[in-house]
Amino acid sequence: MEILKVDNLTKTYGKGEMKINAVDHISFSIEKGEFVAIVGSSGSGKSTLLHLLGGVDRPTSGKVYIDGKDIYSLSDDELAIFRRRQIGIIYQFYNLIPILNVTENIMLPCDLDNTNVSKERLEEVLDILNLKERKNHLPNELSGGQQQRVSIGRAIINNPALVLADEPTGNLDSKASDEIVSLLKMSNKKYKQTIVVITHDLEIAKEADRIITIDDGKIIKDEKVA
Amino acid sequence: MNVLKKLTKRNLILNKKRTIVTIIGIILSTAMIVCVSGMVTSFQKTLINDSINSNGYYHVQIKDMPKEDILALENNRDMQDYYLKTEIGYAPFSSENYFKPYFYVSAFNEKALHNTGIRLIEGRLPQNKNEIIIPNHVIEGGGFSGKIGDTITLQIGVRTLLEDGKTYFLNQNNPLATETEEEDSSMNNRSEKQEKIIESFQPKEKITYTIVGIIERPSYEIESYSAPGYTAITYTDEIHEKGDAFILFKNPKGYNYKTINIAGDKYDYSYNSGYLRWLGVTDSETMGALYIVAAVVLGIIILSSVFVIKNSFAISITEKYKMYGMLRSIGATSRQIKKNVLYEGFFLGLIAIPIGILSGIIAIVVLVFLINFIIGDYLGDIYFVYSIPLMPILLSILLASVTIYLSTIRTAKKAGKISAIDAIRSNNDIKIKTKKLKTPFFVKKLFKTGGVIAYKNLKRNKKKYRTTVISIVVSIVVFLSLSSFIDFGFKMAGGYYTEVDYNMRIYSNGDTYSMRYDNLKELAKLDLIEYYSIIRSDSLFVSDASYSDYGRKILKLFGLDNEENKEERTISIVSLGAQEYSRYLKKIGVSSDKKVGILLDEFKETINKKNYVGNLYNFKNHDILKGTTIDAKKDFEIEIIRSEERPMGLEHSYSFGGYLIVSDEIFNSLFEETYATMYVKATDAKKLENQIDNLRKEKEEFKGVYVTNLEEEMKAQNAMVLIVSIFLYGFITVISLIGITNIFNTITTNMNLRSKEFAMLKSIGMTKREFNRMIRLESIFYGMKSLFIGIPLGLVGSYIIYLAFKKGMEFSYTFPIKSLLIVIVFVSIIIGIIMKYSLQKINKQNIIETIRNDNI
């Protein structure tokens, strides 16, 4: 089943001679339960693409369908609501709220949506992330790896249609990186969670089911990993 | 609790200092709103109380109602209460006041005695129909000699007037009926009018009363100025065949319709207009003016408050920019973010508004106490009361809420619009172009690299920097304008007396010249008089004086510019009394053995709202002025000396022909009889006043002496000015405090937001000294710019206030140099304190930690 479909997506910055196509007429689609890595050198447009997939930014032209829905036909607020229900985003710099503790940070999308998540679900997530002991700590009391695990928790708590991760290990040492990658992999296998990871680390890319390589805003390679 | 509310509270607690400062800002503005509106209601209540005291606690008096209609009042639904008064009749007595030859006796019931503005001076109210109270003006003006305890027998009767064969009964609304007869009085060629009484009195019965009390003159509604009978009041507890009803409605609104309901066109009625006016149910200029002033003041307060609170929220979202962006990226709607900011405002208001209201109420109580303490003595019967009814408080809550709402809504909208992508990239904070940051070369030369960075920082943070500058500017402008207001107010109120030497004015009235003039010379010998002048003045025709252009203009205005009436041009000739004349000559340096006249020809006048100031004549010193006395009997010639110096008594007088001051001898040789006024500098004005009062009682010839003690007036005016100063300086202080909270918030947060940058500067090797210097320069730039903008604007404000005052009085603009210095010193101090505070905060930070700290 096709969960994500990108159709002729373009994002342009600047005008006239300064014009840069950060994403240049890209089309592809992702099946439910796929673990996709998007790789490319810095400046290739992969972060822009991810933001467009997540409905955080708006494209210059083209469409993005998530679960069959054209997300850019939504208004800003509808898009925000769609985001908190259907998309989980993980950032390189965690972007946790410093004055909320681990549990509160993880529960944030549900709280914003005024939806209740069962205690079991929260316990389960804390368990998977190995944060049970830390659930009442504030972000600045955690290591980088732990903080990133919190942000993974926040991304998956709602069982979103799509989890997007932007260089999730870019700020971590190799041990913590391994942990994060195996967590993502695990949630992909166990919950059939569709995941798109942006990375320049080929080791991580190798863990994916499929690698899309981008350069200059265009897909130059799209291959399944055996 | 909702996660966003939780976030708000934690953020507020985290930024404890800013939260507190913002709360203080809200408290101050709420307190000010309560205080201003509460003072208006207190003032109104005071006036209402005073008018109840002196005019009575009723809305309308319906006259001459028959018994059955009075009884029917009980069933009137609009009415709260009524009091009754019944006419007994007129009683003649040997009055010294020609136009008031009667007592007018009426009987009041218990309620009427207490609620119609009757004020006992001594004794008690009547308790039965044989007791009576009389007003004090029958003793002082009517020459009635009864005292408390005396019994008097009055011949009661009615006044009638026969006209065209019909007999009319007269009441208190009909002045004494007289006829005017023209009689040629040989005395001074003026025809004098003689009044002859044409009404008659018909006696009915004799009643004996015991005087039990003396009251103050009743209100105008009970005894009008032209009423022919002095009000004497006895007691009654029955309802007579006919009587007046004083009616108090349940609700004074629509009092006129309610009155017509009762009175129709059958009965006369008169409203208690003083009371109704202060109740605000009829139009009143005083209340109107008061409301306008209050509205303007409230406007200024709300504007400055909106400014502070808005700024505080603007800062708060700048700090939380990234957080909001993050919340947006994980799916918070812009409505949620907006609500979050509004909630923050609501929460702050919840804490600050009640405290503000309480402080405002305390301020009102203190101010009312101060008013009574400082000017209570001069207000006579008026005693200031405070009134804190619900309305001003509800109004304050409403206004404070509106203020907070207005302050937050824009910020909230802005926060709602934060785009997730911008926040994540965090590239919105600094959107600047190189061109904008160009620094004038002198900055580098003068202040070195530190200065350049400081300057560039100000340019980059233009908006935040503007907030600070505007806050300081607002305070400067308010201070300069209002201190000028106080200054000019002082000039206008007290100025008239502060520039004069005398503290007492004495005038003697009488039939003979000796009573008018010699009396004063006699009084001048009293010990308590330090020095004095006796001003006599008369007119001299000057047909061929050399007028200046200004003089001609004035002649034209008075219609004396053509040849036909040049005979009517006059100059006032004045003598000062020997003592003041020699003192005056000495002062202007003229030898006293020469026969000269001193010309004071400056003339000031406001005609048709235009001010005229200038000198009337082209005379030079030692020119000869020729004139004729107004009876055309004597010609006169004198050498003149011009002067601008004015003698005692003529300080603020202007005559449209100017003044010519001459010695007593010359004056006496020209005029035989004229009126005189003595101006006195007394060592103890109060004592002298009493002394002269006693003389008046003891000696017949001093009977016509009138004393005006200006010391009391001056004191009263100074007290008034003091009260106004307390109000205005209080206002300035609070507005400045609100401004300071604003500055404090802006500068300290700005320093916080830039801490990373500062850490970087330090890490690349900026020494602590260089760094401190940079921060200091930045603060100085702030201060300088504020002063550069604030001072000219403040001076404009001060000049506008001068123009407003100038309409009422003539004086020149004084540059508020003192206030200006205060402003400069004060701004420097504030800037200094803030600077020090920020530095302390920054220097405490650890470089590495700050740089590494990339949390939101």
Side-chain angles (χ1 to χ4, degrees):
Chain A
M1 200 186 93
E2 197 178 75
I3 195 97
L4 173 78
K5 184 166 175 261
V6 177
D7 185 15
N8 227 356
L9 197 64
T10 305
K11 177 77 183 178
T12 314
Y13 291 111
K15 274 177 192 154
E17 285 182 21
M18 302 283 286
K19 197 161 131 181
I20 295 163
N21 286 331
V23 173
D24 196 0
H25 298 91
I26 287 182
S27 300
F28 66 95
S29 63
I30 291 172
E31 296 291 314
K32 184 170 168 50
E34 256 189 306
F35 186 169
V36 181
I38 298 178
V39 296
S41 54
S42 79
S44 60
K46 54 189 195 305
S47 277
T48 308
L49 177 62
L50 183 105
H51 287 137
L52 288 173
L53 297 186
V56 181
D57 205 353
R58 278 188 184 267
T60 313
S61 68
K63 286 190 165 78
V64 173
Y65 299 93
I66 293 178
D67 222 356
K69 186 155 200 116
D70 176 3
I71 61 170
Y72 289 112
S73 67
L74 300 171
S75 74
D76 274 1
D77 275 353
E78 286 167 343
L79 189 55
I81 292 166
F82 181 82
R83 252 191 335 255
R84 70 193 178 203
R85 290 180 186 160
Q86 300 298 345
I87 299 169
I89 300 183
I90 301 161
Y91 295 100
Q92 179 177 4
F93 294 108
Y94 335 129
N95 279 347
L96 301 175
I97 304 241
I99 53 176
L100 294 180
N101 66 25
V102 168
T103 313
E104 287 164 337
N105 262 300
I106 291 177
M107 296 291 284
L108 203 51
C110 314
D111 282 334
L112 284 174
D113 206 30
N114 278 325
T115 45
N116 278 324
V117 170
S118 67
K119 240 194 167 132
E120 290 77 48
R121 170 71 181 155
L122 176 66
E123 290 296 313
E124 189 188 352
V125 170
L126 285 172
D127 209 29
I128 297 167
L129 300 172
N130 198 13
L131 285 169
K132 264 195 161 157
E133 310 291 309
R134 299 263 167 185
K135 65 179 180 185
N136 291 322
H137 285 233
L138 289 175
N140 63 6
E141 294 163 334
L142 304 174
S143 72
Q146 285 167 330
Q147 286 190 51
Q148 193 59 301
R149 276 184 273 155
V150 176
S151 83
I152 291 176
R154 188 177 66 190
I156 64 171
I157 185 80
N158 258 352
N159 292 318
L162 185 62
V163 167
L164 302 170
D166 187 1
E167 302 272 13
T169 59
N171 208 28
L172 301 173
D173 59 31
S174 58
K175 185 170 166 280
S177 296
D178 288 348
E179 268 174 36
I180 296 300
V181 174
S182 55
L183 262 175
L184 289 176
K185 185 109 191 164
M186 190 270 284
S187 87
N188 170 250
K189 288 274 156 330
K190 192 170 173 190
Y191 302 109
K192 295 268 174 286
Q193 181 69 61
T194 317
I195 295 176
V196 177
V197 180
I198 281 186
T199 182
H200 59 264
D201 186 342
L202 287 174
E203 290 301 309
I204 294 169
K206 272 181 200 157
E207 301 287 326
D209 303 333
R210 178 176 161 196
I211 301 174
I212 298 175
T213 312
I214 289 190
D215 193 29
D216 235 357
K218 292 192 177 78
I219 296 180
I220 52 168
K221 208 157 100 190
D222 186 349
E223 54 181 350
K224 295 259 183 214
V225 179
Chain B
M1 198 195 299
N2 181 317
V3 64
L4 284 171
K5 286 186 186 170
K6 214 184 306 177
L7 263 180
T8 306
K9 278 196 185 158
R10 286 200 198 153
N11 262 317
L12 288 174
I13 293 166
L14 204 68
N15 295 299
K16 227 181 289 150
K17 268 186 191 137
R18 198 187 56 230
T19 306
I20 290 171
V21 170
T22 310
I23 286 177
I24 290 174
I26 302 176
I27 289 176
L28 287 175
S29 28
T30 318
M32 287 272 274
I33 294 170
V34 171
C35 190
V36 170
S37 48
M39 280 319 285
V40 172
T41 55
S42 296
F43 191 59
Q44 189 180 14
K45 175 106 180 282
T46 301
L47 292 170
I48 288 174
N49 275 4
D50 180 58
S51 81
I52 286 176
N53 261 333
S54 51
N55 299 329
Y57 186 44
Y58 65 94
H59 297 126
V60 65
Q61 176 187 3
I62 299 181
K63 291 171 183 170
D64 281 334
M65 289 173 89
K67 193 170 185 174
E68 64 267 24
D69 279 9
I70 291 176
L71 289 170
L73 283 176
E74 293 284 354
N75 303 320
N76 191 305
R77 274 186 306 165
D78 296 329
M79 201 193 59
Q80 186 183 319
D81 207 351
Y82 68 99
Y83 336 121
L84 295 174
K85 166 194 156 188
T86 256
E87 177 180 297
I88 304 288
Y90 283 94
F93 75 105
S94 57
S95 173
E96 285 179 5
N97 186 334
Y98 184 79
F99 293 99
K100 272 174 127 65
Y102 306 111
F103 271 115
Y104 175 69
V105 185
S106 45
F108 281 47
N109 72 1
E110 187 71 33
K111 277 179 182 167
L113 281 172
H114 289 107
N115 292 310
T116 53
I118 289 168
R119 282 162 298 164
L120 269 179
I121 297 172
E122 52 176 318
R124 60 173 173 81
L125 293 172
Q127 281 160 359
N128 58 54
K129 63 185 173 104
N130 296 315
E131 290 179 346
I132 203 164
I133 47 178
I134 55 169
N136 64 339
H137 69 301
V138 74
I139 298 169
E140 280 165 14
F144 181 74
S145 56
K147 344 180 263 296
I148 289 176
D150 288 357
T151 51
I152 47 167
T153 301
L154 295 176
Q155 174 62 65
I156 305 288
V158 290
R159 290 163 58 213
T160 55
L161 180 66
L162 194 70
E163 213 174 64
D164 305 329
K166 267 171 138 182
T167 305
Y168 294 94
F169 289 94
L170 304 178
N171 62 24
Q172 283 288 74
N173 289 334
N174 309 116
L176 192 71
T178 56
E179 216 170 53
T180 311
E181 289 182 347
E182 296 266 336
E183 249 180 41
D184 224 19
S185 149
S186 54
M187 269 278 285
N188 34 14
N189 238 354
R190 284 170 202 154
S191 71
E192 219 151 71
K193 286 171 183 168
Q194 201 75 34
E195 310 266 359
K196 203 183 130 204
I197 299 175
I198 54 165
E199 67 176 56
S200 55
F201 177 76
Q202 276 145 32
K204 281 164 87 181
E205 55 177 332
K206 282 196 171 175
I207 306 178
T208 303
Y209 291 108
T210 311
I211 300 173
V212 293
I214 313 270
I215 56 169
E216 278 182 33
R217 182 186 179 131
S219 70
Y220 181 82
E221 272 78 20
I222 292 178
E223 183 183 322
S224 67
Y225 298 122
S226 59
Y230 289 98
T231 306
I233 299 168
T234 180
Y235 174 80
T236 183
D237 52 5
E238 40 193 293
I239 299 173
H240 296 254
E241 283 313 309
K242 244 184 171 185
D244 295 2
F246 298 92
I247 291 170
L248 182 71
F249 294 117
K250 281 177 189 145
N251 184 348
K253 279 206 179 93
Y255 65 95
N256 33 3
Y257 300 111
K258 291 173 185 170
T259 301
I260 287 168
N261 255 343
I262 299 171
D265 47 10
K266 284 190 288 181
Y267 311 118
D268 278 350
Y269 49 85
S270 68
Y271 296 123
N272 188 352
S273 48
Y275 178 47
L276 287 169
R277 182 163 62 236
W278 303 134
L279 280 179
V281 291
T282 55
D283 285 341
S284 154
E285 270 181 33
T286 314
M287 289 315 289
L290 199 64
Y291 288 145
I292 289 172
V293 169
V296 169
V297 170
L298 286 177
I300 297 178
I301 297 169
I302 290 176
L303 272 182
S304 1
S305 316
V306 166
F307 208 68
V308 181
I309 301 168
K310 201 184 112 195
N311 188 27
S312 158
F313 282 104
I315 292 166
S316 149
I317 67 150
T318 321
E319 276 181 350
K320 286 186 270 180
Y321 185 77
K322 225 175 162 184
M323 184 184 93
Y324 284 136
M326 205 283 304
L327 285 171
R328 291 281 279 149
S329 83
I330 60 165
T333 62
S334 65
R335 228 180 113 236
Q336 278 174 317
I337 304 279
K338 228 154 75 182
K339 249 171 78 183
N340 182 247
V341 177
L342 287 176
Y343 175 76
E344 190 171 328
F346 169 77
F347 186 75
L348 291 178
L350 205 66
I351 299 171
I353 293 178
I355 302 177
I357 287 175
L358 203 70
S359 334
I361 291 173
I362 293 171
I364 294 173
V365 174
V366 170
L367 281 172
V368 168
F369 171 78
L370 275 179
I371 290 176
N372 282 321
F373 183 72
I374 297 171
I375 57 171
D377 288 347
Y378 307 108
L379 290 177
D381 288 337
I382 300 178
Y383 183 78
F384 255 81
V385 286
Y386 50 84
S387 134
I388 304 148
L390 214 56
M391 268 307 281
I393 291 182
L394 288 180
L395 183 80
S396 321
I397 295 176
L398 188 77
L399 287 180
S401 313
V402 169
T403 308
I404 294 174
Y405 181 76
L406 288 179
S407 321
T408 26
I409 188 69
R410 258 195 67 193
T411 314
K413 278 188 183 149
K414 219 169 112 195
K417 272 193 202 131
I418 290 175
S419 104
I421 188 78
D422 279 345
I424 293 161
R425 292 220 192 97
S426 89
N427 57 357
N428 189 49
D429 229 8
I430 307 164
K431 264 188 189 156
I432 28 167
K433 290 182 180 140
T434 353
K435 210 170 112 195
K436 269 197 188 158
L437 286 183
K438 254 191 195 157
T439 314
F441 73 97
F442 67 87
V443 174
K444 173 138 198 179
K445 254 199 160 146
L446 270 172
F447 307 116
K448 314 242 170 73
T449 311
V452 173
I453 295 176
Y455 185 87
K456 284 185 197 278
N457 270 328
L458 294 187
K459 286 229 142 178
R460 178 185 61 181
N461 294 312
K462 216 171 176 181
K463 243 183 164 168
K464 289 174 199 155
Y465 164 54
R466 205 187 292 147
T467 324
T468 310
V469 171
I470 292 176
S471 301
I472 305 177
V473 165
V474 167
S475 299
I476 294 175
V477 173
V478 170
F479 180 79
L480 283 180
S481 322
L482 289 190
S483 54
S484 284
F485 183 86
I486 293 169
D487 213 38
F488 298 142
F490 217 141
K491 270 215 177 104
M492 181 135 151
Y496 190 84
Y497 293 117
T498 47
E499 285 169 35
V500 300
D501 264 342
Y502 53 88
N503 48 17
M504 204 174 236
R505 203 165 47 215
I506 305 173
Y507 176 73
S508 183
N509 203 357
D511 295 335
T512 63
Y513 185 50
S514 116
M515 276 175 89
R516 298 198 295 259
Y517 180 55
D518 296 340
N519 262 351
L520 295 179
K521 287 214 289 202
E522 202 56 38
L523 287 174
K525 290 173 187 159
L526 292 172
D527 280 345
L528 289 166
I529 294 178
E530 212 177 313
Y531 46 87
Y532 67 93
S533 68
I534 298 176
I535 304 275
R536 287 178 296 163
S537 100
D538 216 313
S539 296
L540 210 59
F541 285 125
V542 282
S543 44
D544 57 347
S546 67
Y547 285 96
S548 65
D549 289 346
Y550 175 73
R552 302 223 158 265
K553 205 158 86 191
I554 295 298
L555 284 178
K556 201 169 174 182
L557 279 167
F558 283 84
L560 295 174
D561 56 328
N562 45 17
E563 281 300 305
E564 288 97 83
N565 45 26
K566 75 187 241 189
E567 301 297 322
E568 286 173 35
R569 297 174 192 164
T570 59
I571 187 166
S572 295
I573 182 160
V574 176
S575 80
L576 306 172
Q579 191 199 40
E580 173 68 10
Y581 186 66
S582 62
R583 199 177 75 108
Y584 178 63
L585 286 188
K586 211 183 218 168
K587 208 166 164 190
I588 60 173
V590 173
S591 123
S592 56
D593 37 67
K594 238 175 140 187
K595 210 178 125 182
V596 290
I598 315 295
L599 180 71
L600 302 176
D601 69 341
E602 193 191 15
F603 180 70
K604 279 188 199 175
E605 182 68 277
T606 307
I607 302 161
N608 297 332
K609 289 182 182 167
K610 254 186 92 179
N611 290 310
Y612 293 88
V613 191
N615 288 72
L616 297 166
Y617 299 104
N618 275 336
F619 285 122
K620 288 188 280 294
N621 280 346
H622 312 299
D623 278 356
I624 303 293
L625 183 139
K626 287 179 195 159
T628 324
T629 55
I630 41 172
D631 53 9
K633 280 179 189 156
K634 288 170 191 161
D635 284 333
F636 173 71
E637 254 188 52
I638 196 161
E639 176 186 344
I640 57 170
I641 307 267
R642 299 184 63 116
S643 176
E644 297 292 325
E645 189 69 45
R646 288 173 163 259
M648 186 157 90
L650 287 184
E651 286 91 343
H652 295 285
S653 316
Y654 298 96
S655 150
F656 98 96
Y659 289 107
L660 186 69
I661 294 163
V662 295
S663 69
D664 277 23
E665 293 76 40
I666 299 176
F667 193 88
N668 290 340
S669 72
L670 288 171
F671 306 99
E672 275 151 15
E673 292 196 345
T674 185
Y675 285 90
T677 308
M678 179 156 76
Y679 296 86
V680 169
K681 165 76 182 170
T683 43
D684 186 336
K686 189 83 210 149
K687 231 166 144 183
L688 183 62
E689 193 184 355
N690 289 335
Q691 200 177 2
I692 295 175
D693 265 358
N694 289 334
L695 274 175
R696 268 173 52 193
K697 282 178 191 155
E698 285 161 19
K699 292 187 183 166
E700 185 61 27
E701 70 258 35
F702 286 123
K703 234 188 135 180
V705 172
Y706 290 101
V707 174
T708 315
N709 187 346
L710 301 169
E711 206 165 69
E712 285 299 302
E713 270 175 56
M714 288 184 217
K715 265 193 206 156
Q717 271 174 342
N718 286 343
M720 206 61 217
V721 169
L722 182 61
I723 285 290
V724 173
S725 312
I726 290 174
F727 273 81
L728 292 182
Y729 278 118
F731 181 66
I732 294 172
T733 311
V734 178
I735 287 285
S736 304
L737 275 179
I738 293 177
I740 290 171
T741 55
N742 208 2
I743 299 164
F744 179 87
N745 270 348
T746 318
I747 297 189
T748 54
T749 335
N750 203 0
M751 295 290 168
N752 267 353
L753 289 175
R754 280 160 51 201
S755 55
K756 202 170 161 187
E757 201 176 302
F758 293 148
M760 188 274 294
L761 283 173
K762 282 186 189 169
S763 74
I764 60 166
M766 192 179 239
T767 64
K768 198 171 171 179
R769 238 185 94 226
E770 282 167 331
F771 181 76
N772 289 357
R773 200 171 145 269
M774 180 183 87
I775 298 296
R776 273 189 206 120
L777 277 172
E778 206 174 303
S779 312
I780 289 165
F781 288 149
Y782 278 122
M784 298 280 269
K785 187 157 182 186
S786 315
L787 287 173
F788 273 130
I789 301 171
I791 288 177
L793 282 180
L795 289 178
V796 167
S798 133
Y799 195 75
I800 288 172
I801 284 177
Y802 162 71
L803 290 179
F805 269 93
K806 206 180 155 208
K807 283 187 186 149
M809 197 182 152
E810 191 61 42
F811 60 90
S812 57
Y813 179 70
T814 35
F815 194 75
I817 187 81
K818 221 166 76 190
S819 314
L820 220 61
L821 288 176
I822 293 175
V823 159
I824 293 170
V825 169
F826 193 69
V827 168
S828 315
I829 290 174
I830 289 186
I831 294 284
I833 291 171
I834 291 168
M835 201 157 69
K836 208 160 169 204
Y837 177 82
S838 334
L839 271 178
Q840 237 172 19
K841 223 170 158 183
I842 297 164
N843 283 332
K844 257 194 241 156
Q845 284 163 349
N846 177 303
I847 304 174
I848 304 301
E849 236 168 54
T850 316
I851 290 188
R852 267 194 49 205
N853 182 11
D854 196 32
N855 270 328
I856 307 165

